[in-house]
Amino acid sequence: MKFSLSLFLAVTAIGMASAASAAGAMRVLDPMTRIALRGSGHSGPKAAPAVGDKMPEPQRYVPMILKLADGGSIGELEAAGIRVLHHRDELVLAYIPADRTDIIEDLNIVRRASLGRPASALLDRAAAATGAASVIDGQAAELPYTGRGIVAGFSDIGFDPGHATFGGRTVGLSHINDTLAAVTRLTAPAEIAAYTTDNPRQYHATHVAGIMAGSGDGTPYRGTAPGAAIYATTSTLYDTGILAGVEEIIAYARSHGQPAVINLSLGSAMGPRDGTDLFCQYLDRCAAEVPVLLSAGNDGSTNIGIHHTFSPEKPTVTAMVSEHVDWGYNYLPGHCEGWSSDEHPFEVSFSVFDVIDRKFVYETGRIGGDSVSVIDATTDPAFARYYSGNIVAAGEVSGENGRYNLLMRLDLAVNERINENRWARHYLCVNLHGEASTHVDFSPDGELLFLDPVGAAQALVSRGDNSQSISSMACGKNTICVGSATTRDSAPLLSGGTASWTDYVAAGTVSAFSSYGQAADGRRLPHFCAPGAYVVSAASRYYLNEFPAKMGAVNACGATEGNYFITDCGTSMASPHAAGIFALWLEADPTLTPAELLATAVETASTRGLDSADPRSGAGMIDAVAGLRKILRQGGLDLPEAIARPRVSRDGSRLHIGAAGLEVTAVGVYDLAGRTADADALPAGPVIVRVTTSDGVYTYKL
């Protein structure tokens, strides 16, 4: 799923006070923020006195991450009218009054301000593939481990806490309203039970939470830590709200004296990919205290970037900027940016390619440097022949890493269409210009803009590559980056039949879409992989009510009427699977540090069935059983390699169980859609059998 930063800016930054050229603004505001705050006047209505029954307009805010200068204090920020939600030393999660954003330029206590970049909201077979089912059911050790006593938290969007798969285990819920700088915090069971959802048009958080900690509600689609307590945080997924959610989870776990694990199924195709941006700096401090797992990203099969070292022979590289909004290349809204490997700058120009005449027909002047630059159709008649709208760019040498950064915001619409007025006649290309030996990593936002040459232009431009497709948000030094492996390429549908994705993924392989890359300090990411394609998990009831046509994609209904399960894929599904396994390991040894948990995952990862040479796989597939046994042996326990378990078989339509002296207390039989089946009249197809004994619960597929 994709979430639009440009949409947010359209709402909160219309006409904000100019930050174009003052030296203070150059020093304080990063390029994204300088572009967003470009303009004049005010961004939103001020609170006004009530007239009759009319209520006053609420004060609106713009979320930012601030870095205080030496000697700066939280009190000084608050005295200036800035709301502070959380802070760690000099890093602050702040909310600036939307009609007074210019105060940031005037506060000499602020060294750096960042609005942030766009984020993408970046089980039955899955749990078996990693051995999580064996750990949960007690087959990997003398006792079952389900994540009991552990807080499983996440920051996401579209959560339905009332879904039966969560079984009343949601102990806390915080919703961060970035526009109003407010937090709705619920911890009382009655309050949580009465809560509906933060966003009925999204189900991502419900699906992710089900993978991490769902019970399955009588279906085979359990999460990897079905006994964990759940703390949910939701927002519109901008940097400040995401980090505020992380702090809410940590605060709850700390106040209750419980270990926690946090999942962020989010990502960004833009950023320095070196962990130096303010988001990664702040998250790294949280991740030193609590394990934080992030998705690697879903651009591993996409030519998302240009990575070029300029030379006398090739001082320019050109790529086509495309969009997948209407597939007609008629609109180009979104962001692109480039990072040099050091302080050396580069410049950008834009060319227009005519698909009928099959040639370039126009090139803009070059933009770059450290000021805000504009290419505008209203002031450039030649450019206006092809596009309406503008391109705004801002550059700087970042004080956080010493690298030159140039960021561009595009807001363009093509003026001439062909093929029954559906396709653009003119395509936009970006040209990167630099001095010899300067290296640049350039990428679009991967949300609204891509690099995808089409037609006759393919022979004239670079196609880009995926070698640095890793999400910049996952490049922190303390965070844990998880890629995706494919454990399912088809799934049964509740309505009958089967959904198949064999033309996109292949079971038993690393997912081709899973992102990978190398951080600036040489670290290769992801650290390891977990099942991410395709995964069946909980769906928000409110989402299905909002989009009833989606019921056709539902895979199962739980034992509780109206609670459905649906399939999705992506590294968004992989990281919560691994986070749930971390919760199992923390239950076995609550003293484990985030670094020790990561080391366990990497050292015990399995490469069986995976191409270990594929950089998407990292160290291999996380192995819940091998990791648990390593942890328990470190604690001095002598584990048998095999645990006694019931023998289960079928004879046609009848089920046979040999308990080997164990007391069987319950037997459940389900078809692959999660419907209950009769043990004495089994259906013809495969079934899932769950046997509960005095020693634990065991699951079989027959």
Side-chain angles (χ1 to χ4, degrees):
M1 296 183 182
K2 304 291 184 181
F3 301 94
S4 172
L5 176 64
S6 53
L7 175 62
F8 176 76
L9 296 179
V11 174
T12 62
I14 296 173
M16 289 185 180
S18 175
S21 60
M26 298 295 184
R27 183 174 59 253
V28 173
L29 305 180
D30 69 4
M32 176 71 79
T33 309
R34 288 161 57 203
I35 288 175
L37 303 190
R38 178 181 172 271
S40 60
H42 299 298
S43 64
K46 295 182 180 180
V51 178
D53 294 332
K54 184 179 179 181
M55 297 296 292
E57 291 283 352
Q59 173 68 60
R60 295 178 178 274
Y61 293 84
V62 175
M64 290 188 189
I65 306 173
L66 305 182
K67 190 170 189 177
L68 295 177
D70 292 343
S73 71
I74 300 299
E76 290 174 280
L77 292 178
E78 292 174 335
I82 295 172
R83 287 193 180 180
V84 174
L85 200 54
H86 294 280
H87 69 95
R88 291 200 171 225
D89 300 321
E90 79 282 13
L91 295 175
V92 183
L93 305 183
Y95 288 83
I96 320 301
D99 54 358
R100 296 181 56 216
T101 54
D102 56 328
I103 64 176
I104 291 296
E105 301 174 54
D106 301 325
L107 285 174
N108 56 14
I109 61 169
V110 176
R111 192 173 101 193
R112 187 73 167 168
S114 175
L115 187 66
R117 288 172 167 77
S120 305
L122 328 197
L123 291 173
D124 54 336
R125 294 188 186 177
T130 60
S134 297
V135 174
I136 297 167
D137 295 339
Q139 300 165 29
E142 296 289 356
L143 296 172
Y145 291 89
T146 64
R148 287 170 296 184
I150 310 302
V151 177
F154 58 85
S155 189
D156 216 305
I157 189 170
F159 184 53
D160 174 6
H163 195 291
T165 198
F166 305 126
R169 287 178 292 109
T170 303
V171 295
L173 191 154
S174 296
H175 176 68
I176 293 93
N177 186 318
D178 284 320
T179 302
L180 300 181
V183 180
T184 301
R185 190 177 295 112
L186 309 177
T187 55
E191 291 178 325
I192 295 171
Y195 188 82
T196 54
T197 184
D198 60 290
N199 190 328
R201 301 180 68 82
Q202 302 288 347
Y203 71 91
H204 194 264
T206 308
H207 201 270
V208 163
I211 295 169
M212 181 164 56
S215 69
D217 188 32
T219 74
Y221 307 124
R222 286 184 298 176
T224 47
I230 300 167
Y231 199 105
T233 71
T234 56
S235 67
T236 45
L237 297 189
Y238 294 95
D239 285 2
T240 309
I242 294 166
L243 293 171
V246 170
E247 290 281 28
E248 293 283 308
I249 298 163
I250 292 174
Y252 176 88
R254 188 188 295 142
S255 68
H256 287 74
Q258 294 177 294
V261 59
I262 297 174
N263 177 74
L264 300 179
S265 287
L266 312 168
S268 174
M270 299 197 308
R273 293 182 174 87
D274 60 9
T276 62
D277 57 279
L278 295 193
F279 176 87
C280 284
Q281 287 188 46
Y282 196 105
L283 191 60
D284 258 347
R285 300 188 188 189
C286 298
E289 181 178 350
V290 172
V292 179
L293 291 84
L294 293 98
S295 303
N298 299 328
D299 295 315
S301 58
T302 304
N303 295 332
I304 194 67
I306 297 289
H307 313 288
H308 180 70
T309 301
F310 299 106
S311 66
E313 296 75 28
K314 196 165 185 181
T316 299
V317 61
T318 299
M320 180 174 286
V321 181
S322 66
E323 54 79 31
H324 294 175
V325 175
D326 68 352
W327 295 92
Y329 293 64
N330 294 299
Y331 305 99
L332 294 172
H335 294 78
C336 298
E337 77 168 343
W339 287 85
S340 293
S341 57
D342 53 28
E343 75 280 6
H344 289 94
F346 60 93
E347 294 180 313
V348 168
S349 64
F350 291 88
S351 299
V352 179
F353 184 83
D354 188 316
V355 297
I356 293 180
D357 293 340
R358 299 191 175 192
K359 64 180 183 180
F360 288 103
V361 293
Y362 178 73
E363 182 177 353
T364 71
R366 297 185 182 185
I367 54 178
D370 60 1
S371 61
V372 175
S373 306
V374 182
I375 298 171
D376 197 322
T378 61
T379 57
D380 185 342
F383 188 62
R385 291 178 57 190
Y386 311 106
Y387 287 97
S388 59
N390 60 44
I391 301 169
V392 183
E396 68 164 1
V397 175
S398 171
E400 303 303 316
N401 57 21
R403 297 168 61 189
Y404 180 73
N405 173 217
L406 180 63
L407 185 138
M408 292 142 277
R409 183 186 68 196
L410 281 64
D411 186 10
L412 299 173
V414 74
N415 288 336
E416 185 176 351
R417 302 185 185 186
I418 56 176
N419 295 335
E420 298 178 350
N421 211 35
R422 290 183 300 152
W423 288 84
R425 173 173 178 172
H426 300 108
Y427 290 171
L428 192 74
C429 295
V430 58
N431 311 296
L432 309 178
H433 312 273
E435 295 181 356
S437 300
T438 298
H439 178 84
V440 64
D441 294 311
F442 177 88
S443 62
D445 56 35
E447 170 199 7
L448 298 171
L449 299 181
F450 302 83
L451 299 179
D452 190 11
V454 295
Q458 293 184 68
L460 304 176
V461 301
S462 170
R463 296 193 62 87
D465 62 52
N466 55 13
S467 62
Q468 284 290 82
S469 54
I470 195 71
S471 165
S472 187
M473 295 173 72
C475 289
K477 294 177 175 60
N478 295 329
T479 53
I480 298 161
C481 179
V482 185
S484 171
T486 302
T487 54
R488 175 192 283 280
D489 52 25
S490 64
L493 296 171
L494 182 62
S495 58
T498 301
S500 175
W501 304 277
T502 53
D503 58 341
Y504 180 54
V505 294
T509 65
V510 181
S511 306
F513 61 76
S514 190
S515 293
Y516 64 99
Q518 182 172 326
D521 59 6
R523 289 173 296 129
R524 295 190 176 276
L525 299 171
H527 292 105
F528 55 84
C529 62
Y534 269 78
V535 182
V536 184
S537 184
S540 167
R541 295 164 296 170
Y542 305 99
Y543 173 84
L544 292 174
N545 289 339
E546 190 84 6
F547 302 102
K550 298 293 184 180
M551 283 296 298
V554 165
N555 303 101
C557 180
T560 308
E561 184 64 28
N563 289 270
Y564 296 102
F565 293 78
I566 200 167
T567 314
D568 208 338
C569 83
T571 56
S572 278
M573 285 63 250
S575 60
H577 186 108
I581 290 175
F582 274 35
L584 306 181
W585 293 349
L586 278 171
E587 182 187 355
D589 184 353
T591 69
L592 291 170
T593 66
E596 289 170 336
L597 287 163
L598 173 58
T600 298
V602 169
E603 291 167 14
T604 62
S606 171
T607 58
R608 292 188 302 273
L610 299 179
D611 180 2
S612 58
D614 190 331
R616 296 172 180 83
S617 67
M621 177 84 84
I622 187 171
D623 189 326
V625 174
L628 177 65
R629 290 182 169 175
K630 180 180 187 297
I631 290 166
L632 293 177
R633 286 195 176 99
Q634 287 173 171
L637 294 183
D638 184 18
L639 288 174
E641 288 302 319
I643 304 297
R645 57 179 296 176
R647 296 186 303 277
V648 179
S649 61
R650 66 181 293 171
D651 179 12
S653 64
R654 293 185 63 83
L655 183 69
H656 297 283
I657 299 175
L662 298 174
E663 179 186 356
V664 176
T665 58
V667 176
V669 183
Y670 312 89
D671 65 16
L672 293 186
R675 296 177 289 245
T676 302
D678 188 342
D680 294 322
L682 299 177
V687 295
I688 302 295
V689 180
R690 187 169 296 149
V691 180
T692 304
T693 76
S694 54
D695 284 357
V697 182
Y698 305 88
T699 304
Y700 307 80
K701 180 180 177 182
L702 303 176

